[in-house]
Amino acid sequence: MIAFFGFWIFLIPVFALYFGGPLYLVCAGPACYWYLKRRVPKTLEITLLAIVVNTIVTLVLLCLNALMASFFRLDDLLVLYGGFGSVMSAIWGATFCKLYVWFKADTDKTR
């Protein structure tokens, strides 16, 4: 939904899906699954979880970049992941929580 309404603003959601999609599937998806199995979903908590996961991934990539600078050239990309990614992860985390709660309430009514 965010991608649909924000598509016309500099095509940002297209690039966000390209850059953030794989990291979401590998890191944030399992983190959200782990969280939702143990807790009642709260918007602030899932938003903070998304920011923490994004920060951890950025730090891991920073360490890889520092250790293997000749192999990885991620300097410019890490600015996107660290700065822009933190803002986007917060927006996507809050949106995910609202949609999850809405869909879960809808499916609970049909049972």
Side-chain angles (χ1 to χ4, degrees), residues 16-34:
L17 289 174
Y18 174 74
F19 287 113
L23 291 178
Y24 172 77
L25 290 175
V26 172
C27 301
C32 283
Y33 178 76
W34 173 83

Side-chain angles (χ1 to χ4, degrees), residues 3 11-25 77 80-81 84 88 92:
L11 300 175
I12 289 174
V14 174
F15 294 111
L17 289 174
Y18 174 74
F19 287 113
L23 291 178
Y24 172 77
L25 290 175
L77 191 60
L80 285 173
Y81 280 124
F84 186 68
M88 289 306 296
W92 282 106

Side-chain angles (χ1 to χ4, degrees), residues 5-78:
F5 290 115
F7 176 78
W8 307 108
I9 306 170
F10 305 115
L11 300 175
I12 289 174
V14 174
F15 294 111
L17 289 174
Y18 174 74
F19 287 113
L23 291 178
Y24 172 77
L25 290 175
V26 172
C27 301
C32 283
Y33 178 76
W34 173 83
Y35 171 85
L36 292 171
K37 281 293 198 186
R38 288 161 177 74
R39 304 186 64 121
V40 175
K42 295 179 183 168
T43 305
L44 180 62
E45 290 179 0
I46 291 182
T47 302
L48 291 175
L49 178 67
I51 292 171
V52 166
V53 168
N54 185 68
T55 303
I56 291 170
V57 169
T58 302
L59 289 174
V60 168
L61 290 175
L62 259 171
C63 290
L64 283 174
N65 191 38
L67 292 173
M68 300 182 220
S70 61
F71 187 69
F72 294 106
R73 296 302 310 156
L74 301 174
D75 299 334
D76 297 333
L77 191 60
L78 287 175

